[in-house]
Amino acid sequence: MGIGCSVRSSVPSTDFGEDSHETHRAPSSGASPQVGQRPRLRPHRISATSSSSVAVTLYDLGNGEDPFPPESQQSSHAEETPPIVRRLTLTTVEITSHIQTTEVTVAQPREQSSQSATSKQPGTQKTSQDASVQKPTSQPQSQDATVHQSQDSPAGVKQAAVTSPPEPRPPKLPPPLPDLRVFSENERKLLCGRGDADVTLRPKLIRVYVISCAEDSMQERAILREKVSPSLKNHCGMLGYQFELVDMYEGVSEWQVNDPEFLQAALREMDICMETSLGPQLLILFGQKYGKLMCPTSIPPETFDKLLAATDNSGDKETLCSYYRLDNNSAPPTYQLQPIRHKEGKVDSSDWLNVQDQLLRILKEGLDEESSLLKSALDKQLCHAFSHPKLQAGQVAWFTRRLLQLEAHLSDPQAQHFLDILPGGAVNTAAQQRLQSLVERTTSQLSEATCMANNIPWEGGGIDPGANPAHQEYLDCLQTRCQADLTAMVDRAVTEAQAEGQDHRPRFGKNLSLELQQQADFCRTTSPTFHGHDKLLNAIGSHLRAENTLPLVVHGADGCGKSALAAKIVELVPEWRTEQAVCVYRAVRLGPSHHSEEQLLWSLGEQLRLLYGPCTRKMQMEMGSLVQDFQYFLSRATPDRPLLLLLEGQLQGGEGGTSLSWLPTSLPPNVSMVLIVKTTDMETAPFLKSLPPDCFMEMSTFPPEECMTIADQHLKKNQRTLSPNQREAFQAAIEKCPLPLYASIAAQLSTVWRSDDGDVALPPDVVGSVNSMLDGLEVKHGAELVSAVARYITVARHGLNESALLGLLQQNSEVLRLNKGTELHGLPQSIILRLLRDITPLLSARVQDSMVLRTWRSHSIADVVVRRYLGTKDAVRTAHVHLKEFYSKMVATEQDAGLYTHWCLLELPYHTFQTEPHRKAIADFFLNFDRLCRALVAGNAVQIVSDVNMAARANPDNGDLCLLSAVLQESAAALSYDGRQFCVHVVERLVDVMKSASKDRFPAMCNMFRSACGSAHRQFTTSKVFLKQVAAPPSSSSEKSRKRIAFEKVEGEKEGNDVEPGGETDCDVLTGLFAVKDDPDHVISVSMATGEIRLWDVNTQTSVQVIPGADQPRQVCCIDARHIVVLCNRQLQVYDLEAGKLETTLKGIMNATMPYFGIHDSDHVVALSRNRMYVNVINVTSGDVVSTFKAGEDRFLNSLLISSNGETVVCGDETQKPSPLLVWDLINRKLVHDLRIMGHEFNARLSAITNNGKYVASCCKELIDPDVCLVIVYDLKTGQLFKKLKPGTAVVSLALSEESMSAVLGCENGLVQVWDLMTGACRHVLDGHTHPVDTLQLAAEGRRCLTFDPSHHDVSIRVWDIVEGQCLAVLTPDQPISCCQLMADGERVVIGLQGRDDIITLELQSSTSSNQLA
């Protein structure tokens, strides 16, 4: 028979693992000082029965009733048996680790009677040991200190307690795995590597396509390019978006304007604008010219047959058949227009115009006048736009312009550019009718109200702003109206996107979120392309199901489908293992942070920390520390949460390569690892050489029929097929090179084959096919242009976007040079856009930092480009110089302010290092305080830290750089969270070095230290050092070498030992901080661990009074500057701070789960009764209850709010439905309001009241739709509903300020919303936290607000100006913050750190400095 054990907990806990009951968050409002508005954790009652282990039944006491009330106070409501949440089996040590206060009585089981008999002997002592579950070596078995003999022991055996000798305190159990339920379902999918996770990788791009008749709108389009576009770029950049104006007809010749092939390219660009632009899509300009009709690029066979039959002239028939040829490879077959080419491959413009005129005459004679085949470029673009499924009428701006009296000046040579005129000099009425029809259709499709109509007088030569003031006025008006319309569209679209993005915003770091979404998107799009390796896939599945302790290495040739295999593995992991299995996948060089081992390990560590925890573990960006973190996280995998680590890509050599030396050759339990590498890596990676042969699988030759399937899919996508002879030739080439990469490139080459092409041939391999494609591009676009684009894409570290490529080509004089040696003032936008569309099959695109970046899709393609265009060092250096000059210009002129300038700041140091001496580059960038500060604020701090580390390793004798590297390594986590902390971390970490005699060795860092100390961007100042100090690096490289060898020796001696957790923080020493009433210079701290109450001087940060012996002090309310009321366990006690002693213990016991109380006046405390049916007013001198408020019979209260002036108390009633809010007047001792809304239910635990008690706000939900969250604000003077706020997401904390007339809402998605109580509108959405904030503290003036997440998923605090919507300061210390308090003046923040028994006072530097930098 097992022992009987009862466990009673006065402090509930939810640390029972992932399946424990859902917790509730407690808001903290700076407006009222009362205690415990809402408990942070839902309570549970625990009962247990077992022998060596304890079977625990976990009951839900979520109704808030005292679990152990006296019999006299028990009601039917309290006597109900609570529902069972979960049954667990825990050891005694595990129970005590989860329950802070326990009462345990253990009866010794019969099975231990022999041990008891032995314990009778004099001098013999025996302890009962916990032998339930075998613990790891780092977790020794627990021992019971006291054993009581069972009543069932044999007769004659005396029942006495046997006390064992004092045992050392058992080691602390490892922290439980993080509860992933704090994340949404989609966030869990991203973290666990599920390919079906929803991703929001839409680029922050606003792309507007210009539609006009190219010939008559040159002045207007020039205004758009030179005036409107720069203004919109700047505006969008400040919003974090990129703006592009696409004018395909800028700078093109007449024959290109009428070239059908050019029109098709223009329509492709329009499609891209319609599909990718967030906001305005089109800008339409109407003049009085319809434009020249264009030859159709294709004619259906039945139409062509009718056309031939209607053509009587044999010469016309011959011409028609010469330039329109049947192409059965088109799907469906059509007659295709054949372009005219010179023998050098260039288009002969004069020949083409003549032939086009001839073809148009024939087509007009044979086709109806209204035929859809005969249209102008303007007509075709508009018809294409209006038929597009993603056209949004509200995102189109359009303008009309009419030149008055133009018909009277038809003889003017310039008139033909603005009006359709026949050869005889008359107006082309047919063209004018078509134009009028287009305008009418546009009016019906859009709205005439959105149109700007302009009538201006004719001037000789057309539109001449210099000669005619009316023309200048027209252009100015066009500029103003166009800017206003587009800006309004942009603002509206950005606001909608931000509101929509709030619900899909992942609650972890920005860089990790982006990377995980990239991986999920890649897997979802790539997995369907997997073909032909089913046998290999099954073998991999068998290996993973067997839980092998050895890594698995899959190798194959480049282009054989390794990426598709990896994506398929990600898809099948839940099927092979369990639904709880975690797949951490990295496609090396695919994501934004895989360009060094440190960055790869940091990225892996960030994800593993969230999955295996603890979340408070601080990571350093130093190789040894990252490896230790990585090994520790692997050791935390469990059978309930097994781990698969999947790495694929270039794993050896090159900038993006890694030696893999940090990967384990023998895997911990519950961990599997698959590496997918190139076969050539097998020869160079030492880690791979160290593995036994059983670890390797080879991707065999791809079946040719599968390659043909890939090719057919590509052809079908391009609406092409192959003739039987061509297909036979294609299959023969595939059999010689059966690779998926070759199949896709070969299919792209075959898209230009026509059905009547005779001999066709394909290159024999990938290298040949890539070169063949580049040859064709050079013929079409020019060798210099193609080579320049290829070089820029290759040397760019992360790839390039279209704007950067266009900017680079604009400054390349060789590209701008024409055949005759003249130079253009600029490169037409259409040239680079057409080339990019044609080169797309060789590129991959990804969204990074909200931009679409393009790079080569395969290492094989990149190698071909390097050999072809970058074969010399001079060529490489020249390309880097061009990128450096371009980025320098962008940073200097601050074009595309915000988004694009930030990107340039990150890329500029890398290209400078490739072109200039290292010492100069280091001084100009890394040791330049202003540039480094701007770059860190720009975004990817991990990239900058990696660059500094790389430069420090390359320059080990540069002491300044090595010291900076040490600072950034320690601060990498904080700077990655928010780079604006740079000044604070530099100052705090260099205090010891700056005080030492060795500081003279670091002149540049001394300057940086002084700059940081005096910088306006230093957000916090403090007189106490609270960050880890960095040591001065050795003075010589030889000393560094000796230290490195010693370090490696120590690491070698550690090899084979268990991985120690390392870096674990201690428990909270200070568990609460509270401001002293009417005393701006002191705070009170409580410590549940030590039972101490302390009074601190905020300025000196020293303790001025210590009150020991308190029983678990938790909450404090100040009666005045001297007397306080403290919640100690479940009693309220009054202390005298000046005397440092307990004065009174108030009568009664507080409710275990809702111990709410507050201050009425200097003589009375208001508290919720133990049974939650009353509100008691207690005299602080006598401790007696002097007055009682009661809601009614059998009505239970679940909250208590007291205004700071002590005149108003608000409670929530959970008994009546829908739940009301009850408002009492404490002065007159009466109920004044019973607030309720039909069909709605208040969540009174999420409520707040203003200091003077005028307004109260509470969260509320609709009964018919519980997902709809509202915040209701009442005017308590009248009892009327004042405002109804609709945050659009769940709210976890709430604060009110009458001083600033603001409601501050902490939202479930991590955002903080600020609402204007006067207008009821959302004033600001504050973005910065990565997890919901439960603590909101408002300063007395109501303008500044401190936000904090006590769960430590987000370990930072932020101070905001809620009127301006700015983040004034942010701090991420090394240790988690255990408690914090914003002082009443809003200028100081007092914090307590885990493991420290002192306070730290942080003073805000300036209310306007922090955002000037950003």
Side-chain angles (χ1 to χ4, degrees), residues 797-813:
R797 182 159 55 168
H798 298 93
L800 293 171
N801 67 349
E802 293 176 4
S803 294
L805 276 171
L806 184 59
L808 285 163
L809 294 172
Q810 293 282 14
Q811 70 181 25
N812 189 322
S813 59

Side-chain angles (χ1 to χ4, degrees), residues 1 248 432 757 918 921 944 975 1138 1246 1259:
M1 186 172 72
M248 288 294 289
Q432 290 297 294
D757 288 342
H918 284 191
I944 297 171
L975 297 178
E1138 185 174 323
L1246 274 171
C1259 285

Side-chain angles (χ1 to χ4, degrees), residues 812-860:
N812 189 322
S813 59
E814 294 299 323
V815 172
L816 296 176
R817 196 175 304 277
L818 300 177
N819 292 335
K820 294 182 180 180
T822 60
E823 291 187 7
L824 295 172
H825 292 293
L827 189 70
Q829 187 181 24
S830 58
I831 291 180
I832 181 61
L833 293 179
R834 294 181 68 188
L835 172 58
L836 280 177
R837 302 304 166 244
D838 290 343
I839 205 174
T840 294
L842 299 180
L843 299 176
S844 65
R846 71 171 185 275
V847 178
Q848 180 174 330
D849 289 340
S850 305
M851 296 185 294
V852 180
L853 301 179
R854 288 174 171 80
T855 188
W856 304 115
R857 60 178 285 197
S858 166
H859 302 303
S860 298

Side-chain angles (χ1 to χ4, degrees), residues 1004-1016:
M1005 288 303 295
C1006 287
N1007 291 333
M1008 184 174 291
F1009 180 82
R1010 286 191 291 269
S1011 298
C1013 287
S1015 174

Side-chain angles (χ1 to χ4, degrees), residues 690-753:
S690 66
L691 298 176
D694 294 344
C695 294
F696 297 91
M697 293 183 185
E698 183 177 6
M699 295 187 71
S700 58
T701 304
F702 207 71
E705 57 273 15
E706 296 291 346
C707 286
M708 285 303 303
T709 301
I710 295 174
D712 289 337
Q713 291 174 349
H714 188 88
L715 290 168
K716 182 179 180 180
K717 181 180 178 181
N718 287 272
Q719 296 181 330
R720 304 293 295 171
T721 60
L722 297 177
S723 67
N725 292 337
Q726 292 169 351
R727 189 172 186 83
E728 184 178 345
F730 195 100
Q731 289 177 331
I734 287 293
E735 290 176 356
K736 295 178 181 177
C737 186
L739 294 175
L741 178 62
Y742 177 79
S744 62
I745 298 177
Q748 178 63 31
L749 291 173
S750 67
T751 56
V752 299
W753 294 352

Side-chain angles (χ1 to χ4, degrees), residues 1073-1091:
L1073 283 170
F1074 308 90
V1076 179
K1077 185 177 182 180
D1078 300 327
D1079 184 350
D1081 296 322
H1082 291 86
V1083 294
I1084 302 163
S1085 73
V1086 296
S1087 173
M1088 294 183 65
T1090 63

